[in-house]
Amino acid sequence: MSACLLKVLLLVAEDNTTQHVAKLLLGLYRAGLDEEKDVSEQVVEAAKLTGFYVGPEVYCMMTLPAISSNPTTGILMTFSTLLTGTQLSLLHSLNYLPPFPG
């Protein structure tokens, strides 16, 4: 139920999602691993919407360090789904990626 509500909130918030993306990503990392299929599907849809409304330069700065320090299935799944939701033109025009620590 809460995963479905998250999707609705993202649709309402649209571009204002950026200011809450740090907390949102932490929730998506955990919720994406839920054993209930319906919850996982809603989380995937929420991550796609997040990728659509939040620029890749923003979510890459937060997600890439998390992948480097603790590459869990939830983080990797969320990142791949964020990329899926991002407009291809934004990915092509991405001139900067934060340094990948390692």
Side-chain angles (χ1 to χ4, degrees):
M1 180 68 175
S2 58
C4 190
L5 178 59
L6 176 60
K7 195 170 103 174
V8 172
L9 287 172
L10 287 168
L11 287 169
V12 171
E14 295 183 355
D15 294 334
N16 294 318
T17 302
T18 302
Q19 63 188 335
H20 305 287
V21 75
K23 290 181 182 178
L24 177 61
L25 288 174
L26 292 175
L28 290 173
Y29 297 158
R30 282 180 266 145
L33 299 175
D34 198 288
E35 292 179 8
E36 289 186 42
K37 184 178 177 184
D38 292 341
V39 172
S40 295
E41 289 173 355
Q42 293 296 324
V43 169
V44 166
E45 291 302 314
K48 284 181 187 176
L49 286 171
T50 303
F52 183 79
Y53 291 123
V54 177
E57 68 281 353
V58 174
Y59 66 72
C60 282
M61 282 192 322
M62 297 176 186
T63 307
L64 292 178
I67 291 171
S68 175
S69 66
N70 185 24
T72 65
T73 305
I75 295 172
L76 294 170
M77 187 274 310
T78 300
F79 184 60
S80 66
T81 309
L82 288 166
L83 291 170
T84 302
T86 304
Q87 297 173 36
L88 194 55
S89 61
L90 291 176
L91 293 175
H92 283 299
S93 65
L94 190 61
N95 294 325
Y96 168 78
L97 283 177
F100 194 74

